Amino acid sequence: MSTTRKRVAVIGLGTAGSMAAWRLASRGAEVVGYEQFGIAHDRSAHAGESRIFRTAYFEDPEYVPLLRTAKALWRQLERETGTDLLTLAGNLMLGEASSQMANVSDSIVKFDVDASIIPLDEALTRWPHHPFHEGDAVVLDREAGYLRPELAVLTASYRAESLGAQLRAYTPVDGIEVKDGGIWVSADGRSERFDHVVVTTGPWAAKLLPELAPLVEVRKAVSAWFVAKERGAFDPAGFPCFIRTTPEEFYGLPAMSGNGLKLGLSGTVNLPVGDPDALDRTVPIEEVKPFRELVADSFPALYPDPVRVSAYMEGYTRDGHGVVGQLGGGEGITVVTGLSGHGFKLAPTFGEIAADYALHGGSTNTIPVLNPDRFLSLPARQRTNDVM
Ligand SMILES: Cc1cc2nc3c(=O)[nH]c(=O)nc-3n(C[C@H](O)[C@H](O)[C@H](O)COP(=O)(O)OP(=O)(O)OC[C@H]3O[C@@H](n4cnc5c(N)ncnc54)[C@H](O)[C@@H]3O)c2cc1C
């Protein structure tokens, strides 16, 4: 039996990359992680204090086993590091009984998710600050809650380092080349050989791999924080996170120790970003307006103006599912990108899938909707792709 350790580069130590580095280092690989900025910086997809974790999944019920793997890995990372990353305080799915809410019901039935349909009159009594509408289906998912994203990226990265991974912060990778039986990564004026490369560059994915450009559109996503008029009104113990799918698309999480709410808007309101290096992180008044209107219409318990607005970025695919696997098959490059606004909770599973590909050339942890080949079949890579 060969005892040679596989040498694996992880490019981009954000959400998926930090988890891939941790999983690879745990499983015995020699890992080098490259990050163009500092570890857990706030310039891309993984910042803003909180992310929803949920299991009754409106995107597709087939995610439920991946979500349960993710939950087990979140708990493992917490145990290994003594860090509190995931709080299961519930999530409410709200909306008309549309196809998306049908997926929620299918998830519950098919995978026995701990969730219940709550009659509207009961919901109004239990959660008076939630914006319910006549005709809403209300589902309380108890296998749900919220994650601490910056802490999670830091914890996974430094856990990987404690297991032997090299972390190279402020080191942008500018090229990947397949040659001489290996994959060569160039950064900082030199090129190094690896057995496998995991590309987790998030919104920058198409800069390093231009063949991803037709698959992933980068959009700006704004979060806004509002303060409650009454102290403690949004304590997570009594106010679960929520996602509304119809007639508008928005979501919220308790913030400021229960004294406020963080809100996000989904859908076309999130504007395309042509170049991720040129994201305008200021939020003009016209982009704040829909948040003020939402609060005026739906959250009378909040003061009307946000006390903080922050802009992030995310890569979206046409069908709303990530691109997770090998491009063109078999050439030693695994990508995890285009996570389409719902990738944080699943990141440890994506890290495990990337480790499966790097160490064994395939994964039994993935599902067909994530397969990159669903969009196009790409030829094996034989050329260098420098940053454009
Ligand atoms: C506002 C907002 C709210 C969200 N809410 C939720 C939620 O509630 N629940 C949920 O599950 N998901 C949520 N998501 C989605 C989730 O946060 C993203 O899917 C996830 O963070 C994307 O991870 P990523 O690894 O693809 O990208 P990132 O986390 O951005 O990581 C990419 C990393 O690669 C680095 N990089 C790029 N190019 C290079 C290079 N050439 N060399 C070296 N490093 C490079 C970047 O600097 C970055 O650190 C939300 C997203 C946003 C924006």
Coordinates of all heavy atoms in Angstrom, one line a residue, residues 10-18 34-38 40-41 43-48 50-54 57 147 149 153 168 171-175 200-205 207-208 219-223 243 251 253 262 264 310-316 336-347 350 387, ligand 1:
V10 N -5.8 24.2 -2.0 CA -7.2 24.8 -1.9 C -7.1 26.3 -2.2 O -6.4 27.0 -1.5 CB -7.8 24.5 -0.5 CG1 -9.2 25.2 -0.4 CG2 -7.8 23.1 -0.1
I11 N -7.7 26.7 -3.3 CA -7.6 28.1 -3.7 C -8.8 28.9 -3.3 O -9.9 28.6 -3.8 CB -7.4 28.2 -5.2 CG1 -6.2 27.3 -5.6 CG2 -7.2 29.6 -5.6 CD1 -5.9 27.2 -7.1
G12 N -8.7 29.8 -2.3 CA -9.8 30.5 -1.8 C -10.2 29.9 -0.4 O -11.0 29.0 -0.4
L13 N -9.8 30.6 0.7 CA -10.1 30.0 2.0 C -11.3 30.8 2.6 O -11.2 31.4 3.6 CB -8.9 30.1 2.9 CG -7.8 29.2 2.6 CD1 -6.5 29.5 3.5 CD2 -8.2 27.7 2.7
G14 N -12.4 30.8 1.8 CA -13.6 31.4 2.3 C -14.5 30.3 2.9 O -14.0 29.4 3.6
T15 N -15.8 30.3 2.5 CA -16.8 29.4 3.1 C -16.4 27.9 2.7 O -16.1 27.1 3.6 CB -18.1 29.7 2.5 OG1 -18.4 31.1 2.6 CG2 -19.2 28.9 3.1
A16 N -16.4 27.6 1.4 CA -16.2 26.2 1.0 C -14.7 25.8 1.2 O -14.4 24.7 1.6 CB -16.6 26.0 -0.4
G17 N -13.8 26.8 0.9 CA -12.4 26.5 1.0 C -11.9 26.2 2.4 O -11.1 25.3 2.6
S18 N -12.4 26.9 3.4 CA -11.9 26.7 4.7 C -12.4 25.3 5.2 O -11.6 24.6 5.8 CB -12.4 27.7 5.7 OG -13.9 27.7 5.7
Y34 N -4.6 28.8 -0.2 CA -4.3 30.1 -0.7 C -5.5 31.0 -0.5 O -6.6 30.7 -0.8 CB -4.0 30.1 -2.2 CG -2.8 29.3 -2.6 CD1 -2.9 28.0 -2.9 CD2 -1.5 30.0 -2.8 CE1 -1.7 27.3 -3.3 CE2 -0.4 29.3 -3.2 CZ -0.5 27.9 -3.4 OH 0.6 27.2 -3.9
E35 N -5.3 32.2 0.1 CA -6.4 33.2 0.2 C -5.8 34.6 -0.3 O -4.8 35.0 0.2 CB -6.9 33.3 1.6 CG -7.8 34.4 2.0 CD -9.0 34.5 1.0 OE1 -9.7 33.5 0.8 OE2 -9.2 35.6 0.5
Q36 N -6.6 35.2 -1.2 CA -6.1 36.5 -1.7 C -6.1 37.6 -0.7 O -5.4 38.6 -0.8 CB -6.9 36.9 -2.9 CG -8.4 37.1 -2.7 CD -9.2 37.5 -3.9 OE1 -8.6 37.9 -4.9 NE2 -10.5 37.5 -3.8
F37 N -7.1 37.5 0.3 CA -7.1 38.6 1.4 C -6.8 37.9 2.7 O -6.2 36.9 2.7 CB -8.5 39.2 1.4 CG -9.0 39.8 0.1 CD1 -10.2 39.5 -0.5 CD2 -8.2 40.8 -0.5 CE1 -10.6 40.0 -1.6 CE2 -8.7 41.4 -1.7 CZ -9.9 41.0 -2.3
G38 N -7.2 38.5 3.8 CA -7.0 37.9 5.1 C -8.0 36.8 5.4 O -9.1 36.7 4.7
A40 N -11.1 35.1 6.7 CA -12.4 35.6 7.2 C -12.6 37.1 7.0 O -13.3 37.7 7.8 CB -12.7 35.1 8.6
H41 N -12.1 37.6 5.9 CA -12.3 39.0 5.5 C -13.8 39.2 5.1 O -14.6 38.2 5.1 CB -11.4 39.3 4.2 CG -11.8 38.5 3.0 ND1 -12.8 38.9 2.2 CD2 -11.4 37.3 2.6 CE1 -13.0 38.0 1.2 NE2 -12.1 37.0 1.5
R43 N -15.1 40.8 2.3 CA -15.3 41.3 0.9 C -16.1 40.4 0.0 O -16.1 40.7 -1.2 CB -13.9 41.6 0.3 CG -13.1 42.7 1.0 CD -11.7 42.5 0.6 NE -10.9 43.5 1.3 CZ -10.4 44.6 0.8 NH1 -10.6 44.8 -0.5 NH2 -9.7 45.4 1.5
S44 N -16.5 39.3 0.4 CA -17.2 38.4 -0.6 C -18.5 37.9 0.0 O -19.4 38.6 0.2 CB -16.2 37.3 -1.1 OG -15.7 36.6 0.0
A45 N -18.6 36.5 0.1 CA -19.9 35.9 0.4 C -20.1 35.5 1.8 O -21.2 35.2 2.2 CB -20.1 34.7 -0.5
H46 N -19.1 35.5 2.7 CA -19.3 34.9 3.9 C -19.3 35.8 5.2 O -19.1 35.3 6.3 CB -18.2 33.8 4.1 CG -16.8 34.4 4.0 ND1 -16.0 34.2 2.9 CD2 -16.0 35.1 4.9 CE1 -14.8 34.8 3.1 NE2 -14.8 35.3 4.3
A47 N -19.6 37.1 5.0 CA -19.6 37.9 6.1 C -21.0 38.4 6.5 O -22.0 38.1 5.8 CB -18.7 39.1 5.9
G48 N -21.1 39.1 7.6 CA -22.4 39.7 8.0 C -23.0 39.0 9.2 O -24.2 39.1 9.4
S50 N -24.2 36.3 10.5 CA -25.1 35.2 10.7 C -25.6 34.6 9.3 O -25.6 35.3 8.3 CB -26.4 35.6 11.5 OG -27.0 36.7 10.9
R51 N -25.8 33.3 9.3 CA -26.4 32.6 8.2 C -27.4 31.6 8.7 O -27.2 31.0 9.7 CB -25.3 31.8 7.5 CG -24.3 32.7 6.7 CD -24.9 33.3 5.5 NE -23.9 34.1 4.7 CZ -23.7 35.3 4.9 NH1 -24.3 36.0 5.8 NH2 -22.8 36.0 4.1
I52 N -28.5 31.4 7.9 CA -29.6 30.5 8.3 C -29.1 29.1 8.0 O -28.6 28.8 6.9 CB -30.9 30.8 7.6 CG1 -31.4 32.2 8.0 CG2 -31.9 29.8 8.0 CD1 -32.6 32.7 7.2
F53 N -29.4 28.2 9.0 CA -29.3 26.7 8.7 C -30.7 26.2 8.8 O -31.4 26.5 9.7 CB -28.4 26.1 9.8 CG -28.2 24.6 9.6 CD1 -27.1 24.1 8.9 CD2 -29.2 23.7 9.9 CE1 -26.9 22.8 8.6 CE2 -29.0 22.3 9.6 CZ -27.9 21.9 9.0
R54 N -31.1 25.4 7.8 CA -32.4 24.8 7.8 C -32.4 23.5 7.1 O -31.4 23.2 6.3 CB -33.4 25.7 7.1 CG -33.1 26.1 5.7 CD -33.8 27.4 5.3 NE -33.0 28.0 4.2 CZ -33.1 27.6 2.9 NH1 -33.9 26.7 2.5 NH2 -32.3 28.2 2.0
Y57 N -36.2 21.8 3.1 CA -35.5 22.6 2.1 C -36.3 22.9 0.9 O -36.7 22.0 0.1 CB -34.2 21.8 1.7 CG -33.0 22.7 1.5 CD1 -32.6 23.5 2.6 CD2 -32.3 22.7 0.3 CE1 -31.5 24.3 2.4 CE2 -31.2 23.6 0.2 CZ -30.8 24.4 1.3 OH -29.7 25.2 1.1
L147 N -26.0 30.1 12.0 CA -24.5 29.9 12.1 C -23.8 31.2 12.2 O -24.3 32.3 11.8 CB -24.0 29.2 10.8 CG -24.4 27.8 10.6 CD1 -24.5 27.4 9.1 CD2 -23.4 26.9 11.3
P149 N -20.8 32.9 10.7 CA -20.0 32.7 9.5 C -18.5 33.0 9.6 O -17.7 32.2 9.2 CB -20.7 33.4 8.4 CG -21.5 34.5 9.0 CD -21.9 33.9 10.4
V153 N -15.4 30.3 9.4 CA -14.3 30.3 8.4 C -13.0 30.3 9.1 O -12.1 29.6 8.8 CB -14.5 31.5 7.4 CG1 -13.2 31.6 6.6 CG2 -15.7 31.3 6.6
R168 N -1.8 30.3 3.3 CA -1.1 31.4 2.8 C -2.1 32.5 2.5 O -2.7 32.6 1.5 CB -0.4 31.0 1.5 CG 0.6 29.9 1.7 CD 1.5 29.6 0.5 NE 2.3 28.4 0.7 CZ 2.9 27.7 -0.3 NH1 2.7 28.1 -1.5 NH2 3.6 26.7 0.0
T171 N -2.3 35.9 -0.6 CA -1.6 35.3 -1.7 C -2.6 34.9 -2.8 O -3.1 33.8 -2.8 CB -0.9 34.0 -1.2 OG1 -0.1 34.4 0.0 CG2 0.1 33.4 -2.2
P172 N -2.9 35.8 -3.7 CA -3.8 35.5 -4.8 C -3.2 34.5 -5.8 O -2.0 34.7 -6.1 CB -4.1 36.8 -5.5 CG -3.1 37.8 -5.0 CD -2.5 37.3 -3.7
V173 N -3.9 33.5 -6.1 CA -3.4 32.6 -7.2 C -3.7 33.2 -8.5 O -4.8 33.7 -8.8 CB -4.1 31.2 -7.0 CG1 -3.9 30.4 -8.3 CG2 -3.6 30.5 -5.8
D174 N -2.7 33.2 -9.4 CA -3.0 33.8 -10.7 C -3.0 32.8 -11.9 O -3.1 33.2 -13.0 CB -2.1 35.0 -11.0 CG -0.6 34.7 -10.7 OD1 -0.2 33.6 -11.0 OD2 0.1 35.7 -10.2
G175 N -2.8 31.6 -11.7 CA -2.9 30.6 -12.8 C -2.9 29.2 -12.3 O -2.3 28.9 -11.2
T200 N -12.1 27.1 -4.8 CA -13.3 27.6 -4.0 C -13.2 29.1 -4.0 O -13.1 29.7 -2.9 CB -13.2 26.9 -2.6 OG1 -11.8 27.0 -2.1 CG2 -13.6 25.5 -2.6
T201 N -13.1 29.7 -5.1 CA -12.9 31.1 -5.2 C -14.2 32.0 -5.2 O -14.1 33.2 -5.5 CB -12.0 31.5 -6.4 OG1 -12.5 30.8 -7.5 CG2 -10.5 31.1 -6.2
G202 N -15.3 31.3 -5.0 CA -16.6 32.1 -4.8 C -16.9 33.0 -6.0 O -16.8 32.6 -7.2
P203 N -17.1 34.3 -5.7 CA -17.5 35.2 -6.8 C -16.4 35.4 -7.8 O -16.6 35.9 -8.9 CB -17.7 36.5 -6.0 CG -18.0 36.1 -4.6 CD -17.3 34.9 -4.4
W204 N -15.1 35.0 -7.5 CA -14.0 35.2 -8.4 C -13.8 33.9 -9.3 O -12.8 33.8 -10.0 CB -12.7 35.5 -7.7 CG -12.6 36.8 -7.1 CD1 -12.0 37.9 -7.7 CD2 -13.1 37.3 -5.9 NE1 -12.1 39.0 -6.9 CE2 -12.8 38.7 -5.7 CE3 -13.9 36.7 -4.8 CZ2 -13.1 39.4 -4.6 CZ3 -14.2 37.5 -3.7 CH2 -13.9 38.8 -3.6
A205 N -14.7 33.0 -9.2 CA -14.5 31.7 -9.9 C -14.1 31.8 -11.3 O -13.2 31.2 -11.8 CB -15.7 30.8 -9.7
K207 N -12.7 34.2 -12.9 CA -11.5 34.9 -13.1 C -10.4 33.9 -13.3 O -9.4 34.0 -14.1 CB -11.1 35.9 -12.0 CG -12.0 37.1 -12.0 CD -11.2 38.3 -11.6 CE -11.8 39.6 -12.2 NZ -10.9 40.7 -11.9
L208 N -10.4 32.8 -12.5 CA -9.4 31.8 -12.5 C -9.7 30.7 -13.5 O -8.8 30.2 -14.2 CB -9.3 31.2 -11.1 CG -7.9 30.6 -10.7 CD1 -6.8 31.6 -11.0 CD2 -7.9 30.2 -9.3
R219 N -23.6 38.4 -8.2 CA -24.6 39.5 -7.8 C -24.2 40.1 -6.5 O -23.7 39.4 -5.6 CB -26.0 39.0 -7.8 CG -26.6 38.6 -9.2 CD -28.1 38.4 -9.1 NE -28.4 37.2 -9.8 CZ -29.4 36.4 -9.5 NH1 -30.1 36.6 -8.4 NH2 -29.7 35.4 -10.3
K220 N -24.6 41.4 -6.3 CA -24.4 42.0 -5.0 C -25.6 41.7 -4.1 O -26.7 41.6 -4.6 CB -24.5 43.5 -5.3 CG -24.3 44.4 -4.1 CD -24.2 45.9 -4.6 CE -24.1 46.9 -3.5 NZ -24.0 48.3 -4.0
A221 N -25.3 41.4 -2.9 CA -26.4 41.1 -1.9 C -26.2 42.0 -0.7 O -25.1 42.0 -0.1 CB -26.3 39.6 -1.5
V222 N -27.2 42.7 -0.4 CA -27.2 43.7 0.7 C -27.9 43.1 2.0 O -29.0 42.5 1.8 CB -27.8 45.0 0.3 CG1 -27.9 46.0 1.5 CG2 -27.0 45.6 -0.9
S223 N -27.3 43.3 3.1 CA -27.9 43.0 4.4 C -28.2 44.3 5.1 O -27.3 45.2 5.1 CB -27.1 42.1 5.3 OG -26.8 40.9 4.6
I243 N -37.8 32.6 6.4 CA -37.7 32.9 5.0 C -39.1 33.0 4.4 O -39.9 32.1 4.6 CB -36.9 31.8 4.2 CG1 -35.5 31.7 4.8 CG2 -36.9 32.1 2.7 CD1 -34.6 30.7 4.1
Y251 N -35.8 37.4 3.9 CA -35.5 36.6 5.0 C -35.0 37.4 6.1 O -34.6 38.6 5.9 CB -34.5 35.5 4.6 CG -33.2 36.0 4.1 CD1 -32.1 36.3 4.9 CD2 -33.0 36.3 2.7 CE1 -30.9 36.8 4.5 CE2 -31.9 36.8 2.2 CZ -30.8 37.1 3.1 OH -29.6 37.6 2.6
L253 N -33.1 37.3 10.4 CA -32.5 36.6 11.5 C -32.4 37.6 12.7 O -32.1 38.8 12.5 CB -31.1 36.2 11.2 CG -30.8 35.2 10.0 CD1 -30.5 36.0 8.8 CD2 -29.7 34.3 10.4
K262 N -31.7 41.3 11.4 CA -31.0 41.5 10.1 C -31.9 41.0 9.0 O -32.4 39.9 9.1 CB -29.7 40.7 10.2 CG -28.9 40.8 8.9 CD -27.6 40.0 8.9 CE -27.8 38.7 8.2 NZ -26.6 37.9 7.9
G264 N -32.6 40.5 4.7 CA -32.0 40.4 3.4 C -33.2 40.2 2.3 O -34.2 39.6 2.7
S310 N -24.7 46.6 4.7 CA -23.4 46.1 4.2 C -23.7 45.3 2.9 O -24.7 44.6 2.8 CB -22.8 45.2 5.3 OG -22.5 45.8 6.4
A311 N -22.7 45.5 2.0 CA -22.8 44.8 0.7 C -21.9 43.6 0.6 O -20.7 43.8 1.0 CB -22.6 45.8 -0.4
Y312 N -22.4 42.5 0.1 CA -21.5 41.3 -0.1 C -21.8 40.9 -1.6 O -22.5 41.5 -2.3 CB -21.9 40.2 0.9 CG -21.9 40.7 2.3 CD1 -23.1 41.0 3.0 CD2 -20.7 41.0 2.9 CE1 -23.0 41.5 4.3 CE2 -20.6 41.5 4.2 CZ -21.8 41.8 4.9 OH -21.8 42.3 6.2
M313 N -21.2 39.7 -1.9 CA -21.4 39.2 -3.3 C -21.6 37.7 -3.2 O -21.2 37.0 -2.3 CB -20.1 39.3 -4.1 CG -19.8 40.6 -4.7 SD -18.2 40.5 -5.6 CE -17.0 40.4 -4.4
E314 N -22.3 37.2 -4.2 CA -22.5 35.7 -4.3 C -22.6 35.3 -5.8 O -23.0 36.1 -6.6 CB -23.8 35.4 -3.6 CG -24.3 34.0 -3.7 CD -23.5 32.9 -3.1 OE1 -22.2 32.9 -3.2 OE2 -24.1 32.0 -2.5
G315 N -22.1 34.1 -6.1 CA -22.2 33.6 -7.4 C -23.5 32.8 -7.6 O -23.8 31.9 -6.7
Y316 N -24.3 33.0 -8.6 CA -25.6 32.4 -8.8 C -25.6 31.6 -10.1 O -25.1 32.1 -11.2 CB -26.7 33.4 -8.9 CG -27.0 34.0 -7.6 CD1 -26.3 35.1 -7.1 CD2 -28.0 33.5 -6.7 CE1 -26.6 35.7 -5.9 CE2 -28.3 34.1 -5.5 CZ -27.6 35.2 -5.1 OH -27.8 35.8 -3.9
V336 N -15.9 24.1 -6.4 CA -17.1 24.3 -5.5 C -17.4 25.7 -5.7 O -16.7 26.6 -5.1 CB -16.9 23.9 -4.0 CG1 -18.2 24.1 -3.2 CG2 -16.4 22.5 -3.9
T337 N -18.5 26.1 -6.4 CA -18.7 27.5 -6.7 C -20.2 27.7 -7.1 O -21.0 26.7 -7.1 CB -17.8 28.0 -7.7 OG1 -17.9 29.5 -7.8 CG2 -18.1 27.5 -9.1
G338 N -20.6 28.9 -7.3 CA -22.0 29.2 -7.7 C -23.0 28.7 -6.7 O -24.1 28.2 -7.1
L339 N -22.7 29.0 -5.4 CA -23.6 28.3 -4.4 C -24.9 29.0 -4.2 O -25.7 28.6 -3.4 CB -22.8 28.2 -3.1 CG -21.5 27.4 -3.2 CD1 -20.8 27.3 -1.8 CD2 -21.7 26.0 -3.8
S340 N -25.2 30.1 -5.0 CA -26.5 30.6 -5.3 C -27.3 31.0 -4.0 O -28.5 30.8 -4.0 CB -27.3 29.5 -6.1 OG -26.6 29.3 -7.3
G341 N -26.6 31.6 -3.1 CA -27.3 32.2 -2.0 C -27.7 31.2 -0.9 O -28.3 31.7 0.1
H342 N -27.4 29.9 -1.0 CA -27.7 29.0 0.1 C -26.6 28.0 0.5 O -26.9 27.0 1.0 CB -29.1 28.3 -0.2 CG -29.1 27.5 -1.4 ND1 -29.1 26.1 -1.4 CD2 -29.1 27.8 -2.7 CE1 -29.2 25.6 -2.6 NE2 -29.1 26.6 -3.5
G343 N -25.4 28.5 0.2 CA -24.3 27.5 0.4 C -23.6 27.5 1.7 O -22.9 26.5 2.0
F344 N -23.9 28.4 2.6 CA -23.1 28.5 3.8 C -23.4 27.2 4.7 O -22.4 26.6 5.2 CB -23.3 29.8 4.6 CG -22.1 30.0 5.5 CD1 -21.1 30.7 5.1 CD2 -22.1 29.4 6.8 CE1 -19.9 30.8 5.9 CE2 -20.9 29.5 7.6 CZ -19.9 30.2 7.1
K345 N -24.6 27.0 4.9 CA -25.0 25.9 5.8 C -24.4 24.5 5.4 O -24.1 23.7 6.1 CB -26.5 25.8 5.9 CG -27.2 25.4 4.6 CD -28.7 25.4 4.7 CE -29.3 26.7 4.5 NZ -28.9 27.4 3.2
L346 N -24.3 24.4 4.0 CA -23.8 23.1 3.4 C -22.3 23.0 3.3 O -21.8 22.0 2.9 CB -24.4 23.0 2.0 CG -25.9 22.7 2.0 CD1 -26.6 23.2 0.7 CD2 -26.1 21.1 2.1
A347 N -21.6 24.1 3.7 CA -20.2 24.2 3.4 C -19.4 23.0 3.9 O -18.5 22.5 3.2 CB -19.6 25.5 3.9
F350 N -19.8 20.3 1.4 CA -19.0 20.6 0.2 C -17.5 20.3 0.4 O -16.8 19.8 -0.5 CB -19.3 22.0 -0.3 CG -20.7 22.3 -0.7 CD1 -21.3 23.6 -0.5 CD2 -21.5 21.3 -1.3 CE1 -22.6 23.8 -0.9 CE2 -22.8 21.6 -1.7 CZ -23.3 22.8 -1.5
V387 N -5.4 34.9 -14.8 CA -6.5 35.8 -14.4 C -6.6 36.8 -15.5 O -5.6 37.3 -16.1 CB -6.1 36.5 -13.1 CG1 -6.9 37.7 -12.9 CG2 -6.3 35.5 -12.0
Ligands
LIG1 C1 -25.8 38.4 2.2 C2 -25.8 36.9 2.0 C3 -26.6 36.2 2.8 C4 -26.6 34.8 2.8 N1 -27.4 34.0 3.6 C5 -27.2 32.7 3.7 C6 -27.9 31.9 4.6 O1 -28.6 32.4 5.5 N2 -27.7 30.6 4.7 C7 -26.9 30.0 3.8 O2 -26.7 28.7 3.8 N3 -26.2 30.7 2.8 C8 -26.4 32.0 2.7 N4 -25.7 32.7 1.8 C9 -24.9 32.1 0.8 C10 -23.5 31.7 1.4 O3 -23.0 32.7 2.2 C11 -22.6 31.5 0.1 O4 -23.2 30.5 -0.7 C12 -21.2 31.1 0.5 O5 -20.7 32.0 1.5 C13 -20.3 31.1 -0.8 O6 -19.1 30.5 -0.4 P1 -17.9 30.4 -1.4 O7 -16.9 29.6 -0.7 O8 -18.4 30.1 -2.8 O9 -17.3 31.9 -1.5 P2 -16.6 32.8 -0.5 O10 -17.0 32.5 0.9 O11 -16.7 34.2 -0.9 O12 -15.1 32.4 -0.6 C14 -14.3 32.6 -1.8 C15 -12.9 32.9 -1.3 O13 -12.0 32.8 -2.4 C16 -11.0 33.9 -2.2 N5 -10.4 34.0 -3.6 C17 -11.0 34.4 -4.7 N6 -10.1 34.4 -5.8 C18 -8.9 34.0 -5.2 C19 -7.6 33.8 -5.8 N7 -7.4 34.0 -7.1 N8 -6.6 33.4 -5.0 C20 -6.8 33.2 -3.7 N9 -8.1 33.4 -3.1 C21 -9.1 33.8 -3.9 C22 -11.9 35.0 -1.8 O14 -11.1 36.1 -1.3 C23 -12.8 34.4 -0.8 O15 -12.2 34.4 0.5 C24 -25.7 34.1 1.8 C25 -24.9 34.9 1.0 C26 -25.0 36.3 1.1 C27 -24.1 37.1 0.2

